Amino acid sequence: MDVEMPGLDGFETCRRLRAQHGSAPPVLFVSARDQLADRMKGYDAGGSDYVCKPWAGPELVRKMQRMLAAQADQQALASERDEAVQAVLSSADMAGELGVVLDFQRGLNGCADYRAVALHLFAALERYGLDGCLRISGRQDALSINRDGKCSALEWSILESLAIQKEGPRVRPMAQNTSFNFGTVILFVRELSMQRSAAMDEELRERQGRAIDNVALLLEGAVARLAAIDSNHVAADLERVQSLVELTETALRDVARRNHEMASAVRATFELMQEELNSAFIHLGLTPGQEDHLSELVQAHAATVMGALAQGQAAEAVLRRVMDALGGR
């Protein structure tokens, strides 16, 4: 782009391109102006390079090739950064889902009867965005319920059919739904499919798989609490809760291990990115200011990602205190 143009000059044209199109291609200014102040104007306007007239064709071609190569490198760095951020967010999602299980386990001690356990379970399912119907049976009575109250006739018949199935796995697919038969607790969850096709979004597939595991953990807790209500034996109740705490602690340790591995991988990725960027500076033909700008961008994004990982580690510390409190009780 020439600097001297009728109407809008090259600097203003470049500014407007950058403002209207965030992914606009790099701009190479050509001008008879050869002062440092002119070059700084080009840099401030968003230009990528500056060539003074008269220029030679081969020089111009080489500069354009370097600019395009630098743009490709920036896009690759941005893609790697996005992948790293997505990995951090996924880890945060897992920690949040585990928090629902921990809250459910803590709240179970305040459930004194079957209905309280059922309502507490529906509240936990709602935090996962799930819904369905539930049957609880024990020494005291049998209760068939959905989130809003008494089951419909169709829901009752579904739960009755599930209760007859004494053999086979506890968790079974039912078309696009999933049933959980834990003996004293039978749960039918709508729109939670165990059959996940390869065409399904990978993140959604993993989330649904974790949801099934987490619901099973919730039901394990519900079963233990119902047994305590029926038996009214404090010692037995504490043993079952401790068993559930240990199960949840195993899951927490797994999350902590994955977070640690992820932090190491992210840190190594950014260090490699910085090394490759420093090596690329030799061939890119950038000004020192441009090199510093790119380095600062990488360092800033690295700090952002590592900050997010630190928040995940802080969440782990909170969960650990909850686990220690539960273990002490």
Side-chain angles (χ1 to χ4, degrees):
M1 183 181 297
D2 203 341
V3 172
E4 297 291 347
M5 298 193 301
L8 291 177
D9 64 14
F11 297 146
E12 182 59 25
T13 302
C14 184
R15 288 191 191 94
R16 297 192 182 187
L17 280 173
R18 289 285 178 262
Q20 296 175 8
H21 306 284
S23 59
V27 173
L28 170 65
F29 286 113
V30 290
S31 177
R33 302 179 182 180
D34 61 353
Q35 299 300 313
L36 176 61
D38 298 314
R39 295 175 182 271
M40 292 304 301
K41 287 181 179 179
Y43 177 78
D44 292 339
S48 300
D49 207 343
Y50 195 103
V51 176
C52 293
K53 297 178 181 179
W55 44 264
E59 177 191 11
L60 194 63
V61 170
R62 284 196 297 273
K63 283 183 174 291
M64 287 191 292
Q65 290 173 338
R66 289 174 180 173
M67 288 165 54
L68 293 173
Q71 183 187 38
D73 289 341
Q74 289 179 357
Q75 293 173 344
L77 289 172
S79 177
E80 292 180 6
R81 177 204 64 203
D82 292 341
E83 291 178 0
V85 171
Q86 185 59 41
V88 172
L89 294 177
S90 177
S91 176
D93 287 342
M94 292 177 61
E97 293 166 1
L98 183 59
V100 175
V101 177
L102 290 173
D103 289 343
F104 178 78
Q105 304 290 3
R106 287 192 299 172
L108 278 175
N109 287 332
C111 298
D113 54 36
Y114 291 180
R115 181 171 292 274
V117 173
L119 295 178
H120 189 49
L121 178 59
F122 280 123
L125 292 175
E126 186 175 5
R127 293 178 63 181
Y128 288 129
L130 301 174
D131 193 15
C133 54
L134 170 72
R135 170 174 291 187
I136 295 176
S137 56
R139 295 180 182 178
Q140 298 181 13
D141 200 356
L143 175 68
S144 296
I145 189 174
N146 60 28
R147 186 176 60 183
D148 299 322
K150 189 176 180 180
C151 285
S152 67
L154 179 57
E155 289 175 328
W156 190 92
S157 66
I158 292 173
L159 293 172
E160 185 70 15
S161 298
L162 294 175
I164 297 174
Q165 299 175 0
K166 302 296 184 181
E167 304 295 331
R170 288 183 169 187
V171 184
R172 301 186 185 187
M174 298 184 67
Q176 298 303 312
N177 315 297
T178 300
S179 68
F180 300 79
N181 190 336
F182 282 65
T184 56
V185 180
I186 298 174
L187 176 66
F188 176 79
V189 180
R190 291 196 295 266
E191 298 180 3
L192 177 61
S193 177
M194 295 181 64
Q195 301 170 348
R196 299 179 290 278
S197 66
M200 182 182 294
D201 178 73
E202 182 177 356
E203 182 180 354
L204 177 60
R205 185 166 60 248
E206 292 179 356
R207 188 183 301 117
Q208 287 190 342
R210 294 198 305 268
I212 292 174
D213 294 339
N214 290 331
V215 170
L217 283 174
L218 295 177
L219 295 183
E220 290 280 4
V223 168
R225 183 55 189 166
L226 292 170
I229 292 173
D230 281 344
S231 64
N232 199 25
H233 292 162
V234 176
D237 185 22
L238 290 176
E239 290 178 359
R240 292 186 181 92
V241 172
Q242 183 61 39
S243 176
L244 290 169
V245 169
E246 292 172 358
L247 178 64
T248 308
E249 187 175 13
T250 299
L252 179 60
R253 284 198 300 267
D254 184 58
V255 171
R257 177 183 59 79
R258 294 182 184 180
N259 282 346
H260 178 73
E261 293 173 354
M262 189 178 302
S264 299
V266 169
R267 188 179 296 106
T269 298
F270 275 108
E271 290 175 354
L272 179 60
M273 288 167 59
Q274 186 63 63
E275 292 175 2
E276 293 178 348
L277 186 61
N278 292 337
S279 300
F281 283 158
I282 301 174
H283 308 289
L284 293 178
L286 302 178
T287 65
Q290 291 171 328
E291 293 179 356
D292 292 340
H293 180 64
L294 289 176
S295 295
E296 290 171 359
L297 280 177
V298 172
Q299 293 171 5
H301 289 305
T304 300
V305 173
M306 297 310 296
L309 285 171
Q311 292 179 358
Q313 293 171 351
E316 290 176 18
V318 173
L319 293 176
R320 172 57 58 188
R321 289 196 294 271
V322 173
M323 294 300 303
D324 291 342
L326 288 173
R329 293 191 183 97

